[in-house]
Amino acid sequence: MIRFAIVGYGNLGRACEKIAANSGKFDLVGIFTRRDPAAMTSPFGTPFFRQDDIESFKGKIDVLALCTGSANDLTELGKRCAASFNTVDSFDTHARMRDYVNDMQRITTASGTLSLIGIGWDPGLFSLMRAVFGGVLAEGNTQTFWGKGVSQGHSEAIRKIEGVVKGVQYTVPKEAALEAARSGRGEGLTTRDKHLRECFVVAAEGADKAAIEKSIVTMPNYFDEYDTIVHFITEEEFDRDHTAMPHGGFVLRSGKAQGKDCSLEFALKLESNPDFTASVLMAYAAAAYKMYNEGKRGALTILDIPAIALTDEERTDFIAHTL
Amino acid sequence: MIRFAIVGYGNLGRACEKIAANSGKFDLVGIFTRRDPAAMTSPFGTPFFRQDDIESFKGKIDVLALCTGSANDLTELGKRCAASFNTVDSFDTHARMRDYVNDMQRITTASGTLSLIGIGWDPGLFSLMRAVFGGVLAEGNTQTFWGKGVSQGHSEAIRKIEGVVKGVQYTVPKEAALEAARSGRGEGLTTRDKHLRECFVVAAEGADKAAIEKSIVTMPNYFDEYDTIVHFITEEEFDRDHTAMPHGGFVLRSGKAQGKDCSLEFALKLESNPDFTASVLMAYAAAAYKMYNEGKRGALTILDIPAIALTDEERTDFIAHTL
C-alpha cells in the first residue's frame, strides 16, 4: 500500500481522495488544509490536518499530491513539500515551468526525494504528444487546440461584471482551423484564429444586457482579441446545462517524411476536467512510488517518465500484451 | 556524428539511408546486404558490404538499423547483431514480442549493448498510446483500428491466385465501429466488426473474374472471416492509383473517471508507410546513441523510453517550450 496524502481540498483534491479511497493500492494518511481541520468532513472519513503541520508527517507519507488552487500557492507549496516528501502536482503555467523545474530539481536533489511536475492533460498528456509527434516527424508543424471546455479564468472575469449573476465561458475550437491544421496548413494560425469564446450569462433583473455584452466582448486580454458570442439565459437554464466542467482539445502535427504526407492527431474529450486530471495525477502518483523504490530521485516531468512506469504489471507481461 | 549503418536495402532500409544522408547527425558507415555488394548502388554513394562480414565492423558503428524484410530473418539478425552492436528495429509480430525481448535482453546484457525493439507505429506509437491511455484512465476500453492502408500479406495472397496479374488489398476501418468505439461502445468489437477488406485486382486477359473473386473472398485466414470487396481494374488504373503504400489507423480509449465520460483518441494518416516508419526508426536510432552515451544498456521497447530521449536539445530548454 502506498501511504498517500493530499494538500488542498478543492475539486481536484476531492477527486484524488475518491480515487485513492476506491483503489486497492493507496492508504489515505490524510488531507492537509489551510482551513480549520476540525470544521472539515470527508465522505471517506479521511482525517484532516493543518497544512502548517505537514513537516511532522515526514517519513509517514510515500507520495503527496499537491492540489491547491492557484499557481502561486502551488509553486511555494511544491518547494516546501519537496524538501520532506515525494510529490506529484499538476502545475499548469507553461511560462513558469522552467523556473519551477529548476527550483524543484535543486530541492529534491538536496533532500533525496522525487517530484513529478506538471502532470495533467495540458501540460501533461498534450506535452507528451507534442514531444513524441515532434520527435518522430522532424519536418512538420504542431498545433494545439483547446475545448470545447470551460475556462475558469474567463468565467471568473465575466462574473465580476456588474449585473452578472452567473456566467460561464467555453473555449471552442474553430472547425475550419482544425481542418487547416489536419491538412498541413496549420502554420501561422494564432490562438485567435483557432478558438471562439462562447459565454452563457444570467443577468440580474433589470440589468442592461447590451452593456454587459459590450463589457464582455471588449474586455482587454480576455476577450477583445477573440470572436466572442454572448448568450443570455435564465438561472434555471444555467443550473441545468452549465454547471459541469467539460474540457478537452487536440494536438495535431502535420508534416512530411521524405516528401510524403503524414498526419498525427491526439484528441481528448472530457465530461469533467477535474475528474480526469485527478485520474492522470493518481496514475503518476503510483508511478512516483514505483520509481522512488527503483531509486529515481529529482524533479521529473511527464516527458522524463517512460509509459511503463504507469503499470503495476511485471514488465515483460505488460510488453507482451501492450506492444 | 553518429556512426550509423543499415542491414537490408528494401523500402525501409532505403528510407533510413535517405534520412541519415540528409540529416546532419549521421555518418553513414555502410549498408549490409545478402546480395552481392558489388552489384549494389546507392543514390548517396553509401558503400555496401556483405552481411556475413558485419562482425568485422565491431567498434566502428554506433547504431545499426535492422531493416530486413521477414519477421524470422529479423529476430535472428537482431540476436546476432546485438552481440556486437547497438541496434534499432521495427520487429512487428506482436505475438512473438515477449520471446524476442527476453532473448535480446539476455544478449545485450552479456555484450553491454543497447537494443531498441519494435520501433515503428504499430507496434510502436500505437503501443505507446495503448500504454499511456490505459495508464491514465484505469476504467475503460481500448480499441485499435488499422487503415485505410495496404496490407502487404493480404496483397501477396491475392497475387498468388491464378489469373491475377496485379493486386493490392486495403484494410479499411468501418465508420460505424469507429463511432461505437469513440462513444464508449467498443467493448466486444472484433477485428472483423471493425475492418473491411477492399481489393483492387488486374486480371489476366481471358481470366475467369468470378472465379478469382470467389478465391479471394473465401480464402481461409486472410479473407473468409471478413467483409471483402473486390474491384477489377485495368493495369493502367492500377499503376496510376495503387502503387503507393498508404497506411494509418486509430487507437481509441473510452471510459470513466469517477463516473464521468472520458475519451482519448490517437489518429495516424500516412501517405507512405515505409517512409514514416523510417522516420520513427531514425528518431529512435538517434535516441539509442544518446541513451547509450548516458549509460543505458539492455533491450528496451518504446514503452521503456521517455519522450525526452527524442530531442537533441538541452533538457530544460526542451521542457520550457514543450511542457
Side-chain angles (χ1 to χ4, degrees):
Chain A
M1 296 285 274
I2 305 169
R3 295 173 302 165
F4 176 73
I6 296 166
V7 187
Y9 203 54
N11 285 323
L12 183 61
R14 284 167 203 268
C16 287
E17 181 198 24
K18 192 171 173 185
I19 296 171
N22 291 328
S23 103
K25 57 185 173 188
F26 293 95
D27 176 18
L28 261 166
V29 175
I31 294 159
F32 294 86
T33 176
R34 282 190 301 199
R35 287 176 276 175
D36 174 12
M40 306 287 287
T41 55
S42 146
F44 303 98
T46 313
F48 287 86
F49 303 105
R50 281 165 44 83
Q51 194 168 312
D52 281 347
D53 296 337
I54 197 161
E55 275 80 8
S56 68
F57 284 79
K58 188 169 175 170
K60 297 173 188 166
I61 294 168
D62 294 315
V63 182
L64 185 62
L66 311 178
C67 301
T68 53
S70 93
N72 271 331
D73 285 355
L74 190 51
T75 55
E76 288 314 306
L77 182 69
K79 289 188 268 183
R80 176 178 163 186
C81 292
S84 304
F85 304 99
N86 300 320
T87 67
V88 289
D89 70 56
S90 58
F91 178 64
D92 66 357
T93 310
H94 294 276
R96 291 169 53 205
M97 206 55 85
R98 182 198 295 267
D99 288 344
Y100 186 49
V101 169
N102 284 336
D103 287 345
M104 291 291 273
Q105 183 61 43
R106 188 172 36 74
I107 293 163
T108 52
T109 301
S111 60
T113 54
L114 174 65
S115 287
L116 308 189
I117 285 168
I119 304 292
W121 58 268
D122 189 29
L125 297 183
F126 278 19
S127 320
L128 181 62
M129 298 300 158
R130 286 186 283 263
V132 171
F133 291 3
V136 299
L137 185 64
E139 185 188 343
N141 174 263
T142 300
Q143 295 286 336
T144 302
F145 290 75
W146 295 271
K148 182 182 176 176
V150 173
S151 163
Q152 297 292 351
H154 290 81
S155 299
E156 277 164 34
I158 291 173
R159 290 193 288 265
K160 284 182 184 153
I161 294 169
E162 202 185 313
V164 171
V165 176
K166 291 183 176 179
V168 65
Q169 192 264 193
Y170 298 93
T171 306
V172 185
K174 291 185 180 175
E175 204 51 49
L178 265 176
E179 275 317 305
R182 278 195 187 105
S183 56
R185 295 172 288 111
E187 207 154 1
L189 284 174
T190 63
T191 305
R192 176 185 199 156
D193 294 333
K194 289 156 62 179
H195 301 92
L196 185 75
R197 300 204 174 277
E198 192 169 15
C199 311
F200 292 84
V201 177
V202 180
E205 229 183 287
D208 180 347
K209 289 183 180 173
I212 291 173
E213 179 163 356
K214 192 178 171 194
S215 297
I216 294 173
V217 302
T218 61
M219 194 185 297
N221 303 319
Y222 284 87
F223 293 100
D224 62 338
E225 298 196 338
Y226 288 87
D227 294 339
T228 302
I229 299 171
V230 180
H231 306 275
F232 288 96
I233 59 174
T234 65
E235 188 154 7
E236 196 180 13
E237 288 169 325
F238 190 96
D239 293 344
R240 185 190 64 206
D241 302 332
H242 298 286
T243 55
M245 279 177 282
H247 222 311
F250 303 84
V251 178
L252 305 168
R253 185 168 180 84
S254 290
K256 301 271 187 190
Q258 291 79 256
K260 301 298 174 63
D261 288 339
C262 303
S263 135
L264 301 103
E265 174 167 347
F266 173 62
L268 183 68
K269 199 173 169 188
L270 307 173
E271 194 180 346
S272 164
N273 183 355
D275 283 305
F276 180 71
T277 303
S279 185
V280 177
L281 197 60
M282 293 302 289
Y284 281 88
Y289 178 71
K290 179 176 159 175
M291 292 165 73
Y292 181 83
N293 287 334
E294 289 167 0
K296 292 279 194 311
R297 301 293 184 271
L300 301 181
T301 71
I302 200 165
L303 308 178
D304 302 296
I305 303 167
I308 200 109
L310 295 173
T311 181
D312 296 329
E313 262 185 278
E314 193 278 323
R315 176 173 168 262
T316 5
D317 287 343
F318 184 72
I319 287 171
H321 71 78
T322 307
L323 194 72
Chain B
M1 295 286 275
I2 305 169
R3 295 172 304 166
F4 176 73
I6 296 165
V7 187
Y9 203 54
N11 285 323
L12 183 60
R14 283 167 202 268
C16 286
E17 180 197 25
K18 192 170 174 187
I19 296 171
N22 290 328
S23 101
K25 57 185 172 188
F26 292 95
D27 176 18
L28 261 166
V29 175
I31 294 160
F32 294 86
T33 177
R34 282 192 300 200
R35 288 175 276 175
D36 175 11
M40 307 286 288
T41 55
S42 146
F44 303 99
T46 312
F48 287 86
F49 303 104
R50 282 165 41 83
Q51 194 168 312
D52 281 346
D53 295 338
I54 196 162
E55 275 80 9
S56 68
F57 284 79
K58 188 169 175 169
K60 297 174 186 165
I61 294 168
D62 295 315
V63 182
L64 185 62
L66 310 179
C67 301
T68 54
S70 93
N72 272 330
D73 286 356
L74 191 51
T75 56
E76 288 314 305
L77 182 70
K79 289 188 269 183
R80 175 176 166 188
C81 292
S84 304
F85 304 99
N86 300 320
T87 66
V88 290
D89 70 57
S90 57
F91 179 64
D92 65 358
T93 310
H94 294 276
R96 292 169 52 205
M97 206 54 86
R98 181 197 295 266
D99 288 344
Y100 186 49
V101 169
N102 284 336
D103 287 345
M104 291 291 273
Q105 183 61 43
R106 188 172 37 74
I107 294 163
T108 51
T109 301
S111 60
T113 53
L114 174 65
S115 287
L116 308 190
I117 285 167
I119 303 293
W121 58 268
D122 188 29
L125 297 184
F126 278 18
S127 321
L128 180 63
M129 297 300 157
R130 287 187 282 264
V132 171
F133 291 3
V136 299
L137 185 65
E139 185 188 342
N141 174 262
T142 300
Q143 294 285 337
T144 302
F145 290 75
W146 296 271
K148 183 182 176 177
V150 173
S151 163
Q152 298 290 350
H154 289 80
S155 298
E156 278 164 33
I158 291 173
R159 290 193 288 265
K160 283 181 184 153
I161 294 170
E162 203 184 313
V164 171
V165 177
K166 291 183 175 178
V168 65
Q169 192 265 191
Y170 298 92
T171 305
V172 185
K174 291 184 180 175
E175 203 52 49
L178 265 175
E179 275 317 305
R182 279 195 187 105
S183 55
R185 297 172 286 110
E187 206 153 0
L189 285 174
T190 63
T191 305
R192 177 185 199 155
D193 294 333
K194 290 155 62 180
H195 302 91
L196 185 75
R197 301 205 173 277
E198 192 170 16
C199 312
F200 292 84
V201 177
V202 180
E205 228 181 287
D208 181 346
K209 289 182 181 174
I212 291 173
E213 179 164 353
K214 193 178 170 194
S215 297
I216 295 174
V217 302
T218 60
M219 195 184 297
N221 303 319
Y222 284 87
F223 293 99
D224 62 337
E225 297 196 340
Y226 289 86
D227 295 338
T228 302
I229 300 171
V230 181
H231 306 275
F232 288 95
I233 59 174
T234 65
E235 188 154 8
E236 195 180 15
E237 287 169 326
F238 190 97
D239 293 345
R240 185 190 65 205
D241 301 332
H242 299 285
T243 54
M245 280 177 281
H247 221 313
F250 303 84
V251 178
L252 305 168
R253 185 168 179 83
S254 290
K256 302 272 186 189
Q258 290 79 255
K260 303 297 174 65
D261 289 338
C262 304
S263 134
L264 301 102
E265 174 168 348
F266 174 62
L268 183 67
K269 199 174 169 187
L270 307 173
E271 193 181 344
S272 164
N273 183 355
D275 283 305
F276 181 71
T277 301
S279 186
V280 177
L281 197 61
M282 294 302 289
Y284 281 87
Y289 178 71
K290 180 176 158 174
M291 292 165 73
Y292 181 83
N293 287 333
E294 288 167 1
K296 292 280 194 310
R297 301 292 184 272
L300 301 181
T301 71
I302 201 164
L303 308 178
D304 302 295
I305 304 168
I308 200 110
L310 296 173
T311 181
D312 296 329
E313 261 185 280
E314 192 278 324
R315 176 174 169 261
T316 6
D317 287 343
F318 184 72
I319 288 171
H321 71 76
T322 306
L323 194 72

